[in-house]
Amino acid sequence: MSISASTPSSTEPTPHTDEEQRLRELGYQPVLARRMGSFGNFAISFSVISILSGCMTLYGFGMSTGGPSVMLWGWAGVGLFVLCVGMALAEVTSAYPTSGALYYMADRLGGRKWGWYTGWLNLLGLLGAIAGIDYGAALFTGALLNLQWGFDPTPGSTMVIFLCILLLHAVLNLFGVRLVSVLNSISVWWHLAGVAVIVTVLAIVPSHHQSPSFVFTEFVNDTGWENPIYVAAIGLLLAQYTFCGYDASAHLSEETSNASVTAAKGIVRAIWVSWIAGFVLLAGLTFAIQDYAGTQNSATGVPPAQILIDALGTAGATAMLLIVIAAQLFCGNAEVAAASRMVFAFSRDNALPGSALWRKVSARTQTPVPAVWLSVGVAALLAVPSLYSATAYGAVTAINVIGITPAYAIPIYLKLRAGDRFQRGPWHLGRWSKPIGWIAVAWVAAVTVLFLLPQSSPVTIDSMNYASIALVAVLVLATVWWFVARRSYSTPAAYGNAREQAEIAEGIV
């Protein structure tokens, strides 16, 4: 694969200066603090993917939809396709390193309406992700409190924990991108060390382990559907749900040094590191299952917690759960950072109600403070139905994936459609650009259909897959608001150089 990146010589401007100039050429005046390095940019996407959040939260789903064989081999296969999506998206990110990310790319390559709908899909997906991640952290916290003190994790008490977590993440994000970057860097090592500790302990402590044939070939179908191919396809969603949010590197590009290269690399690196570490984690958990049915029906409500209890005892399980919960908190904090930058960028182009407020940036921290509060506020509202329905958490997760995943493919498809008109950035795929791009578009199209299919039979109000309703709701909302804001919404014209931009601003051209 031919992937190139330009390296400035000693006589050229620094990468920092180059990126500020490039942002002006794309039509935006720099207002955010460019204080994030290459590792920090990779770390935010890795933290949002968060294998200790996604794999652990959705492990129970995987146990019923295909079981061990689909979880392990599905993770391996899905990870490969997601890597193709990530590489194709990274190539477009290198050409358009802005906080708007996906919608700005789509606007440039396809026009205003492409950008508009991509932006709304991406935005609702990011806000749904905050709700899904932090509510998952609240569920695990409830399981820990139940384990230690017999706490009853009712919907009401879980909601209180969830709101406290949201508040914590809002406050942390108000201190500026440097703190966000530091926390994400810690998060990377916490995740990797956490996986190593959990898997090692599960390999050494229990006296009984499942056989390799069970882990890699056992098929379990508790969905009510009879067709094993259909069930296996649904089971792939454990991995696809987890592999979400790697566009965070793109959303933080205006705060990253040498973003045309480092943001692209951050996306790809976050995916392949998560791919390897996630496989190890899933294998470690599955080998350590002591009682499959008992794990599925755990009193904690969290199957991985039951695996830890059965294998390690209460004290050991408590320690491991603390590792997982801390990782989930890192994940949610990174997602608030990414979503708030999307709110800021979309408002900067007058796409949201009250855009004049949401695009404001703190003069002290150079952080979009109102956008942070809007992000956590909407996330709180999205989770309110969980007070009344056990299926609401699934609906919130649906809002996340059905928004974000199609939004990944739109700029990739538009890049392919543009052909030679697409001016690639310093990080690109060379001759592999088109084949990898088409694989990415085809995979997203296929997996989006999977997101919409019913996951259990018979289909009732409680078992219904609400992803289709979430998708329709997002598209209707975007269409209605288009007729209100279409005259004010606009990305700035792309200028060839800073001098031309200044002349246009002064009315000379």
Side-chain angles (χ1 to χ4, degrees):
M1 183 182 298
S2 174
I3 301 175
S4 71
S6 60
T7 303
S9 68
S10 58
T11 60
E12 292 178 325
T14 64
H16 179 89
T17 304
D18 283 346
E19 292 301 330
E20 302 289 75
Q21 173 70 8
R22 177 58 181 152
L23 189 59
R24 291 187 179 95
E25 290 172 359
L26 294 174
Y28 294 114
Q29 181 66 27
V31 295
L32 301 176
R34 202 175 286 274
R35 296 170 180 164
M36 183 174 282
S38 176
F39 188 81
N41 186 274
F42 146 72
I44 192 166
S45 282
F46 181 79
S47 297
V48 172
I49 292 174
S50 184
I51 52 175
L52 283 174
S53 178
C55 291
M56 301 293 270
T57 303
L58 293 161
Y59 191 86
F61 172 83
M63 293 184 75
S64 300
T65 53
S69 60
V70 174
M71 281 195 284
L72 271 296
W73 295 116
W75 182 271
V78 169
L80 180 61
F81 284 113
V82 171
L83 185 61
C84 289
V85 177
M87 288 191 293
L89 186 63
E91 186 173 44
V92 192
T93 298
S94 180
Y96 302 109
T98 73
S99 295
L102 308 181
Y103 91 85
Y104 182 87
M105 302 171 195
D107 185 286
R108 279 287 171 266
L109 295 169
R112 293 175 72 227
K113 280 195 174 181
W114 280 104
W116 177 267
Y117 282 99
T118 302
W120 277 100
L121 285 170
N122 191 201
L123 177 60
L124 268 296
L126 288 167
L127 296 174
I130 297 174
I133 293 165
D134 281 359
Y135 196 83
L139 289 172
F140 269 76
T141 303
L144 176 66
L145 296 175
N146 172 268
L147 188 63
Q148 280 294 102
W149 296 287
F151 173 81
D152 183 16
T154 63
S157 59
T158 302
M159 177 59 71
V160 171
I161 297 171
F162 167 69
L163 293 176
C164 291
I165 292 172
L166 281 179
L167 181 61
L168 170 66
H169 288 156
V171 172
L172 289 174
N173 271 271
L174 297 181
F175 283 99
V177 74
R178 190 180 297 278
L179 177 60
V180 172
S181 183
V182 169
L183 290 174
N184 288 331
S185 298
I186 296 171
S187 172
V188 172
W189 301 114
W190 185 275
H191 274 80
L192 295 177
V195 169
V197 169
I198 291 171
V199 172
T200 300
V201 169
L202 288 177
I204 295 174
V205 175
S207 58
H208 169 74
H209 290 91
Q210 299 292 342
S211 66
S213 63
F214 174 86
V215 172
F216 295 106
T217 65
E218 183 73 14
F219 182 85
V220 178
N221 176 16
D222 293 329
T223 65
W225 300 107
E226 296 183 0
N227 190 320
I229 297 176
Y230 181 90
V231 174
I234 296 298
L236 297 178
L237 295 181
L238 178 152
Q240 188 61 52
Y241 280 141
T242 303
F243 280 114
C244 269
Y246 44 86
D247 57 316
S249 290
H251 288 295
L252 272 291
S253 58
E254 289 184 31
E255 296 159 88
T256 301
S257 298
N258 197 22
S260 296
V261 174
T262 55
K265 287 183 176 179
I267 292 171
V268 177
R269 190 184 305 168
I271 293 171
W272 70 256
V273 174
S274 298
W275 186 21
I276 295 171
F279 187 88
V280 173
L281 176 63
L282 289 173
L285 284 170
T286 308
F287 270 111
I289 293 175
Q290 306 296 306
D291 177 1
Y292 202 93
T295 298
Q296 287 179 294
N297 301 308
S298 173
T300 66
V302 181
Q306 193 62 48
I307 293 175
L308 296 172
I309 293 169
D310 292 343
L312 309 176
T314 301
T318 301
M320 297 302 102
L321 280 176
L322 285 172
I323 293 175
V324 174
I325 291 168
Q328 292 173 331
L329 294 177
F330 280 125
C331 174
N333 189 65
E335 187 63 42
V336 170
S340 62
R341 271 50 174 191
M342 175 61 193
V343 170
F344 159 77
F346 220 25
S347 298
R348 181 171 57 183
D349 292 329
N350 295 308
L352 297 180
S355 288
L357 172 61
W358 311 125
R359 63 173 172 252
K360 288 184 177 180
V361 175
S362 167
R364 183 175 62 85
T365 63
Q366 292 180 277
T367 298
V369 173
V372 170
W373 286 115
L374 180 65
S375 298
V376 297
V378 173
L381 292 175
L382 288 175
V384 167
S386 65
L387 291 169
Y388 311 101
S389 170
T391 61
Y393 177 68
V396 169
T397 305
I399 293 172
N400 170 16
V401 297
I402 206 62
I404 286 183
T405 306
Y408 290 157
I410 293 173
I412 298 171
Y413 165 73
L414 293 173
K415 180 207 71 172
L416 293 167
R417 193 182 71 167
D420 294 337
R421 291 188 293 108
F422 171 70
Q423 297 181 354
R424 65 191 187 187
W427 193 100
H428 58 83
L429 299 171
R431 61 192 175 90
W432 293 96
S433 179
K434 287 185 178 179
I436 289 177
W438 284 115
I439 290 171
V441 171
W443 172 251
V444 171
V447 82
T448 299
V449 173
L450 292 183
F451 283 141
L452 301 175
L453 296 176
Q455 297 168 359
S456 60
S457 178
V459 179
T460 65
I461 292 177
D462 287 334
S463 65
M464 179 179 174
N465 181 358
Y466 287 92
S468 56
I469 295 176
L471 178 60
V472 171
V474 171
L475 294 177
V476 168
L477 175 63
T479 302
V480 169
W481 191 247
W482 168 259
F483 288 103
V484 177
R486 59 182 173 177
R487 289 182 178 85
S488 60
Y489 163 71
S490 178
T491 57
Y495 302 115
N497 55 61
R499 179 180 178 183
E500 183 181 356
Q501 181 186 7
E503 290 174 345
I504 292 174
E506 294 169 3
I508 298 173
V509 175

